[in-house]
Amino acid sequence: MLNLYELEQLAAFARYGTLSRTAEALHISQPTLTRTMQHLEEAFGVALFVHGKNRLALNETGEKAVEYSSALLSEAEKVVAQVRQFDQSLRTILVESCAPAPLWSLLPALSEQFPDKTISSRLTEMPLILSRVKDKTCEIGILPYPAEAEDAVSVPFIREELSVCLPPDHALAGCSSITLEMLNGYNCLLKSDIGFWSDLCHKAMPASRFLVQTDEFEFRELARSSTLPYFVTNLASDADFVKGRTVIPISDIEANVTFHMIFRKENQEYQKTAQQLARRSPI
């Protein structure tokens, strides 16, 4: 019967070339490694090595055995990873989102509905999210549009609307609404880790330069002390943060989005969470 650990030793021997170097790399004795090579020849029932004086080398069949063994070891690693991932999925709900704001209400709601599970999240690029839900990398994905898929469900649950905060004497401060094109050319403050919003701003405002801040405290201090425009949304209500600024909604369709929860059809229990959040925040 083939032993995976012995196959690992065979692959290592092919990599290091000699018994002494292989034994040293694997932290085992050379006699132990020699016995493993002998046992592998017995298990395969064919000669795998050319036996020379004080030297052992793979023959053509041995090289093919290494090739097949490497493939088997790779599959074994996948099996272990898949079993661990399945076990984790029984105890963890992983949410991958294209933006941070939808998580502010979703994660507490999931914790309330599933108190026996660990809720975790991360920001992910939009093109990857649907595939990650489908291949069970995550349980829930969040996208700013409905995702069409035969084995996935897409439920709208919250709306985010972008506004810009301007000093009262800014040239655009008197507008009732603003487009990103109108802001193009003005330098702005921008938070890091805001998901697809960052790509939208850079794409729609190519003539602008952005002072990106990773620290929340530093961002707020700059927002208070500088005259640079910065963005806020309806999901982040902080009256003190916008004090002394004129808040003007951005009218671009791309800046006013309805987020959808994406999950596999067998996970219909997540639909209840989406519907509860949708009732709290009309979309």
Side-chain angles (χ1 to χ4, degrees):
M1 185 71 174
L2 291 175
N3 180 297
L4 288 179
Y5 181 58
E6 290 183 341
L7 294 180
E8 287 177 350
Q9 293 179 48
L10 178 64
F13 175 72
R15 186 163 58 253
Y16 293 107
T18 68
L19 288 171
S20 60
R21 282 190 289 184
T22 304
E24 182 181 359
L26 297 179
H27 305 291
I28 59 177
S29 69
Q30 190 167 324
T32 297
L33 184 60
T34 299
R35 287 194 296 272
T36 294
M37 300 300 107
Q38 293 170 345
H39 182 261
L40 282 171
E41 283 193 315
E42 293 172 2
F44 280 107
V46 295
L48 303 176
F49 307 97
V50 176
H51 298 264
K53 186 177 181 181
N54 299 322
R55 188 173 184 277
L56 190 70
L58 290 164
N59 61 21
E60 187 175 356
T61 301
E63 291 175 351
K64 182 58 70 173
V66 169
E67 179 184 334
Y68 290 146
S69 297
S70 297
L72 182 59
L73 290 168
S74 178
E75 286 302 312
E77 289 179 359
K78 290 180 183 177
V79 169
V80 171
Q82 288 169 348
V83 170
R84 288 175 177 171
Q85 181 179 324
F86 175 77
D87 179 68
Q88 186 181 36
S89 72
L90 297 178
R91 295 174 286 105
T92 304
I93 298 174
L94 173 59
V95 183
E96 297 201 17
S97 178
C98 64
L103 298 172
W104 301 340
S105 58
L106 176 58
L107 299 187
L110 288 172
S111 294
E112 183 180 345
Q113 186 179 350
F114 303 97
D116 57 333
K117 292 195 175 186
T118 299
I119 313 299
S120 63
S121 66
R122 62 186 175 208
L123 295 182
T124 302
E125 295 181 4
M126 285 196 295
L128 301 175
I129 290 178
L130 179 58
S131 62
R132 289 184 183 275
V133 172
K134 292 171 66 176
D135 68 16
K136 301 186 178 182
T137 301
C138 66
E139 281 62 58
I140 298 174
I142 300 177
L143 288 169
Y145 49 77
E148 300 297 333
E150 182 180 348
D151 51 354
V153 178
S154 177
V155 182
F157 75 101
I158 199 167
R159 184 167 177 81
E160 185 170 22
E161 299 170 350
L162 198 64
S163 297
V164 64
C165 293
L166 301 175
D169 58 351
H170 193 279
L172 299 174
C175 299
S176 58
S177 65
I178 289 177
T179 65
L180 292 174
E181 183 179 3
M182 291 167 65
L183 285 170
N184 188 29
Y186 290 102
N187 298 333
C188 299
L189 281 175
L190 203 64
K191 291 183 181 180
S192 63
D193 299 326
I194 56 174
F196 83 102
W197 290 119
S198 179
D199 294 335
L200 174 63
C201 290
H202 282 87
K203 183 178 179 180
M205 301 167 59
S208 298
R209 299 185 68 179
F210 298 95
L211 183 59
V212 180
Q213 297 297 301
T214 58
D215 183 88
E216 178 69 17
F217 175 79
E218 291 179 358
F219 179 87
R220 286 175 172 267
E221 286 300 300
L222 281 171
R224 290 189 183 99
S225 61
S226 78
T227 59
L228 290 172
Y230 56 89
F231 299 98
V232 295
T233 85
N234 61 307
L235 298 181
S237 55
D238 187 341
D240 183 61
F241 184 48
V242 299
K243 189 175 180 180
R245 292 273 181 152
T246 301
V247 182
I248 304 175
I250 296 174
S251 59
D252 302 70
I253 294 176
E254 299 84 354
N256 298 275
V257 299
T258 297
F259 289 105
H260 289 68
M261 277 179 58
I262 317 298
F263 50 88
R264 296 180 296 278
K265 287 185 176 179
E266 68 261 28
N267 294 330
Q268 289 292 329
E269 63 270 26
Y270 299 139
Q271 184 152 349
K272 178 182 177 182
T273 307
Q275 291 170 340
Q276 288 176 342
L277 290 172
R279 285 194 293 270
R280 296 179 198 172
S281 176
I283 54 178

